[in-house]
């Protein structure tokens, strides 16, 4: 039943940070991917299963807001929410909290379902839509 929210814990590595010891802005996309990949894996459909079906999900757009810094060695929480069933696009809403529980970042990431061979948009796989419709967390 939508909306569905999933959380993923991650410890910030030195490689994630800049010279100031905070997560480099270019690394947030990887954190979003981590959150959404773990979400659909937990629902029962690892991303690689989509690829085996000949479907990829490139990023269409990202809206990103920085609220607080995330620092080296912090155990952060990546919260990923899906509010609507996908059609050709799928929207993910991400919130990232620092170790003390304060909101550090929020983003909306839109991905498109695309046929690997033709590079044309396709509808979301029925199995994924069904998993979203029936997910009970």
């Amino acid at each position: 039943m939508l909306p569905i929210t999933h959380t993923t814990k991650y410890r910030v590595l030195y490689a994630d940070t800049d010279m100031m010891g905070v997560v480099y802005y270019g690394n947030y996309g990887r954190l979003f991917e981590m959150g959404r990949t773990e979400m659909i894996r937990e629902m029962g459909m690892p991303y690689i299963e989509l690829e085996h079906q000949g479907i990829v999900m490139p990023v269409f757009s990202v809206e990103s807001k920085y609220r607080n810094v995330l620092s080296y060695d912090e155990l952060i929480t990546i919260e990923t929410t899906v509010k609507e069933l996908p059609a050709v696009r799928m929207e993910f809403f991400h919130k990232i909290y620092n170790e003390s529980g304060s909101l550090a970042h929020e983003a909306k990431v839109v991905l498109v379902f695309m046929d690997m061979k033709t590079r044309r948009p396709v509808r979301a796989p029925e199995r994924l839509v069904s998993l979203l419709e029936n997910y009970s967390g």
Side-chain angles (χ1 to χ4, degrees), residues 81-105:
T81 301
V82 173
K83 298 178 182 178
E84 297 177 356
L85 292 175
V88 174
R89 295 181 185 175
M90 187 166 185
E91 296 180 346
F92 293 90
F93 296 86
H94 300 280
K95 290 184 178 179
I96 302 176
Y97 297 90
N98 62 21
E99 193 162 355
S100 65
S102 296
L103 180 63
H105 192 89

Side-chain angles (χ1 to χ4, degrees), residues 1-106:
M1 179 170 305
L2 296 172
I4 297 169
T5 299
H6 177 268
T7 59
T8 303
K9 298 284 189 180
Y10 175 73
R11 183 153 318 267
V12 175
L13 302 174
Y14 187 75
D16 297 321
T17 64
D18 59 18
M19 287 184 65
M20 297 177 287
V22 299
V23 172
Y24 177 67
Y25 79 95
N27 287 330
Y28 280 87
R30 195 170 60 80
L31 298 175
F32 307 149
E33 181 179 2
M34 203 179 298
R36 68 180 173 263
T37 299
E38 290 305 314
M39 175 187 228
I40 66 169
R41 176 188 312 284
E42 185 178 292
M43 290 173 44
M45 188 170 200
Y47 186 81
I48 196 157
E49 188 176 320
L50 290 170
E51 290 181 346
H52 290 309
Q53 294 178 27
I55 297 172
V56 290
M57 293 175 68
V59 172
F60 178 77
S61 65
V62 177
E63 295 175 27
S64 193
K65 295 177 185 167
Y66 300 86
R67 304 289 186 197
N68 269 307
V69 297
L70 297 171
S71 300
Y72 168 66
D73 203 42
E74 269 193 289
L75 183 61
I76 63 172
T77 302
I78 305 163
E79 183 182 278
T80 304
T81 301
V82 173
K83 298 178 182 178
E84 297 177 356
L85 292 175
V88 174
R89 295 181 185 175
M90 187 166 185
E91 296 180 346
F92 293 90
F93 296 86
H94 300 280
K95 290 184 178 179
I96 302 176
Y97 297 90
N98 62 21
E99 193 162 355
S100 65
S102 296
L103 180 63
H105 192 89
E106 56 189 323

